[in-house]
Amino acid sequence: MGVQRLVAALSTALLAGCGPATAAAGPPPGTVRVVSFGHAPQRSWPVGVRQLTVDPDGPRPLPVTIWYPAAPGGPGGPSTTGPVPMADAPVATGRFPVVVYSHGLRSLPELQAALTTRWAAAGFVVAAPTYPRTNLRAPDFTRADVRNQPADGWRLIRHLVRLDARHDDPLAGHLAVDRIAAAGHSAGGFTTAGMFTSGHSARLRSGIVIAGGGLAGSFAGPPAPLLFVHGAADPIVPESVGRAAYARATGPAAFLSLPAQGHGEYLTPGHPGFAQVLATTTDFLRWTLYADPSALHRLPADAEGPPITVFTSRLPR
């Protein structure tokens, strides 16, 4: 499929309907809600992983992979290739902010684990749905189903809120469900943008759009900090699509460009740009979900790596 057809298909899909499933009164226009939680943890946790399914008997069952900070002392741990997740490991002590991560077309959550497990090791619970009709193994793959995925993301958030209140689930009491970010790559980036529509819950504090873009109706409601990551040589979703979304963002925003990169090779450890993308996204999450001012101040240095990366920012100083 050509570049213009793919971008047009994604645009049409999200324009057709991306309304969130939860509404809440937000602060005055132009105001970003920031509550100080002190400095984000700088330690690294072991990583646990578990699987669950949201609405298993409903019309759109949603399998979810969850990576989370695990209690120390398990058999797994870090390696030269990154954290090694331990299935159903005990959860570390504390409450951790949540990141809802959306995969791209014909992809799966585990194909993004190089990034998501590192976020979990840094102190975040990462919940990654397998979207029913756009994942790699979908028997009835339908590109246009992207329009339904922002609502799936909100369905997952509601499920996590309920799960945190239960007494019989290992993650109960460990989810900071008032501090949630959305992130995603490619079609998952468009899905992420589609979650920031008018009336969206203030639980959603920030977003990371990787190789994606925003559409009419996105970036409305309570303004939230947004980070855009894009390869300047992307042949699938041109960087101009991401730049246009960045220009339309109503709250604080930043754009990390990778001049010689394509559609996502910079998400692979060891590839040029991965270190900058990891450091920038991690500190962006630390700033927006832990309200850590030192993480905000580190962002320009995190992103610095000419000629590999170029950073543009409308973030507070």
Side-chain angles (χ1 to χ4, degrees):
M1 165 175 272
V3 170
Q4 292 182 339
R5 279 187 66 198
L6 178 56
V7 174
L10 288 171
S11 299
T12 300
L14 287 184
L15 279 171
C18 294
T22 304
T31 301
V32 174
R33 181 168 166 253
V34 176
V35 178
S36 177
F37 297 95
H39 291 274
Q42 295 300 308
R43 60 163 294 179
S44 181
W45 275 272
V47 176
V49 62
R50 63 178 287 192
Q51 310 287 331
L52 58 80
T53 300
V54 178
D55 299 331
D57 300 320
R60 286 177 68 85
L62 195 64
V64 180
T65 301
I66 300 180
W67 295 277
Y68 55 89
S79 74
T80 56
T81 58
V84 178
M86 301 173 285
D88 300 314
V91 186
T93 301
R95 279 190 179 272
F96 302 97
V98 176
V99 182
V100 174
Y101 189 88
S102 296
H103 64 73
L105 297 178
R106 298 192 187 280
S107 189
L108 292 166
E110 54 264 37
L111 299 180
Q112 305 294 309
L115 183 62
T116 54
T117 58
R118 285 167 168 83
W119 287 347
F124 302 92
V125 173
V126 184
T130 299
Y131 291 112
R133 301 189 70 184
T134 64
N135 76 80
L136 179 64
R137 303 190 183 107
D140 54 349
F141 176 85
T142 305
R143 182 176 290 103
D145 197 57
V146 172
R147 68 172 177 257
N148 297 313
Q149 293 180 178
D152 288 334
W154 282 106
R155 201 156 45 97
L156 171 56
I157 288 174
R158 292 199 305 275
H159 181 85
L160 294 174
V161 171
R162 292 192 299 269
L163 185 150
D164 185 65
R166 290 171 52 177
H167 299 294
D168 59 347
D169 191 278
L171 283 170
H174 293 287
L175 303 177
V177 292
D178 60 334
R179 290 179 277 151
I180 299 175
H185 173 252
S186 191
F190 284 89
T191 300
T192 296
M195 294 178 69
F196 289 90
T197 51
S198 179
H200 74 77
S201 171
R203 293 182 189 275
L204 190 57
R205 299 293 189 92
S206 64
I208 301 175
V209 177
I210 305 172
L215 306 165
S218 296
F219 316 135
L226 296 168
L227 173 64
F228 297 84
V229 179
H230 220 115
D234 191 330
I236 306 299
V237 180
E239 188 186 42
S240 59
V241 174
R243 291 280 185 185
Y246 170 65
R248 293 210 311 275
T250 59
F255 197 100
L256 180 62
S257 175
L258 296 100
Q261 305 284 337
H263 194 52
E265 55 267 36
Y266 46 83
L267 299 179
T268 302
H271 196 282
F274 179 79
Q276 289 88 348
V277 170
L278 175 62
T280 304
T281 55
T282 302
D283 269 340
F284 180 80
L285 292 171
R286 285 177 174 142
W287 168 52
T288 59
L289 299 186
Y290 281 100
D292 184 347
S294 62
L296 170 63
H297 296 152
R298 285 194 301 266
L299 283 174
D302 291 339
E304 184 69 21
I308 298 172
T309 55
V310 177
F311 190 62
T312 307
S313 175
R314 302 198 312 266
L315 300 178
R317 295 176 182 268

